[in-house]
Amino acid sequence: MSDRREGVSPATDPGAGNPPVRRLAAWDADALSGLAATYDTPLYVLDLDRVHENYRRLEAAFPDAEIYYAAKANALGDVLETLLDAGAGIECASAGELERALAAGAAGSEVHYTAVNPPATDLEYAVEAADEHPGLTIVAGARDTVDRLAERGYDGRLGLRVNPGIGAGHHEKVRTGSDAKFGVPADRAVDVLADAADRGFDVVGIHAHVGSGVSGDALESHREFVARVGDLARDAAATVGELEFVDVGGGFGVPYREDEQPLDLEAVAEATRDALGEVDATLTIEPGRYVVADAGVLLTRVNTVKEAPETTVVGVDAGMTTLLRPAMYDAYHQIRNLTADADERETVPQTVTGPICESSDVFCEDRDLPASERGDVLAIGNAGAYGYEMATQYNSRPRPASVVLEGDDVWLSRRRETVADVTHPERAARETVEDKSERGEGETTDESRRIR
Ligand code: LLP
């Protein structure tokens, strides 16, 4: 598949360095159209070279920090492997992410598991994983979680997530730092840590996360947030002894709009160091979006163009089940028509919508775009972060395929689901019931169904 790669993503001009943002316009339209023709749509395309570049930029801005990539932004095995090779650790939010990080080759010391109200099976998986992969750190966000770990015989590496009382981010639904759901309230954190240390846990760090998609304008909140974490780290160290890390979470925003400027990473890094003050522990960050957002686009094909009195409705084959962010957060994503003559077409306001039976299934409303025609392929930008990860099977719609690009290579990283994938768990359950009744182990199929 190697020749298809040529020019899909912007050529890396060594003189141009590592630009802080890759705009949708910089992707090669012909090459992306070729991918849509080969792999069909909807299709996620992810450029691993860009993932690598984004990681390098973070590393350069935070030379003394440890970087744990937040897998929730994009947990594709190829992404995790690329980042592990580059030297990152992985921050996991669930047993599933833990399994994927370990499968990608992460050593225990390269994994942080941040447990948010963890279901019992997640905790059990994490405790076992920590046993098999020494160095793995579990970060608890409630005293209950510490108790539940102790009940499972765990007294290994423990971090404590603290609620700093300050939130920031692109939407109220992602401002975790001020949401009581996350972390131990700051004024109780030292007690919980001291108690854990008394019970024999290896207390290694404290953690806080302000929110997601934090822009440069929020630098003052960031400063205040980090200063609180710094104070807490010093209080904690005075009580439980030296910590290994102080983790200030992720949240680094990216420009979704054409005219938005990229984050000044150097300024954020400087503000972080400044606000943290003297701490005898390694600064740790957990970026997700920043690493993968502009490395990905979503390709979708126009199937319907409908003139309505108030707008032109453009129906495409991706929907809120493919990319949920616009429906959930009113998030803006750039849209580009990849057809060769698109630039010569008249520009008309269009509402681009998916195939889902919900009025929230809209990618943009009345946006000026070149007049769409049935069969056109549209690229939706910045789809590398929280795109596939939030995809669902609502409306019994199979999830899309993902291809990745690296150097001159292109490969299918995850096949497209089929309706059989959607119905498999249900068929499997029926088959189990039917097997049992055939073996005379249960009641008749109908009765068994009722008992369930
Ligand atoms: N660390 C923790 C503990 C987190 O909860 C998160 C994100 C991150 C790190 C990474 O944050 P990032 O660097 O990616 O901003 N679905 C939403 C974003 C939810 C983020 C949840 N936590 C969206 O599409 O905007």
Side-chain angles (χ1 to χ4, degrees), residues 314-328:
V314 175
V316 296
D317 59 8
M320 63 189 284
T321 52
T322 329
L323 178 68
L324 181 62
R325 303 192 72 257
M328 184 148 173

Side-chain angles (χ1 to χ4, degrees), residues 94-96 98-100 102 120-130:
S94 67
L98 271 176
E99 181 158 324
R100 293 172 87 172
L102 295 169
T121 46
D122 282 44
L123 272 192
E124 271 135 36
Y125 186 94
V127 167
E128 212 169 289

Side-chain angles (χ1 to χ4, degrees), residues 113-119 123-124 127 138-162 183-185 188-206 240:
Y113 166 50
T114 317
V116 179
N117 302 336
L123 272 192
E124 271 135 36
V127 167
I138 301 181
V139 178
R143 196 187 278 270
D144 269 357
T145 308
V146 180
D147 292 345
R148 292 167 70 209
L149 285 166
E151 281 162 19
R152 287 164 173 81
Y154 182 81
D155 61 0
R157 295 171 59 82
L158 183 79
L160 190 72
R161 181 169 184 170
V162 177
V184 174
R188 297 190 204 146
V190 174
D191 278 356
V192 175
L193 277 173
D195 185 47
D198 282 350
R199 291 156 79 181
F201 280 92
D202 183 12
V203 174
V204 288
I206 68 161
V240 298

Side-chain angles (χ1 to χ4, degrees), residues 70 72 161 170 209 212-213 251 286-289 325 329 386 390:
K72 58 178 80 63
R161 181 169 184 170
H170 70 84
H209 173 71
S212 189
E286 293 176 349
R289 186 190 313 272
R325 303 192 72 257
Y329 312 114
Y386 304 106
M390 297 177 81

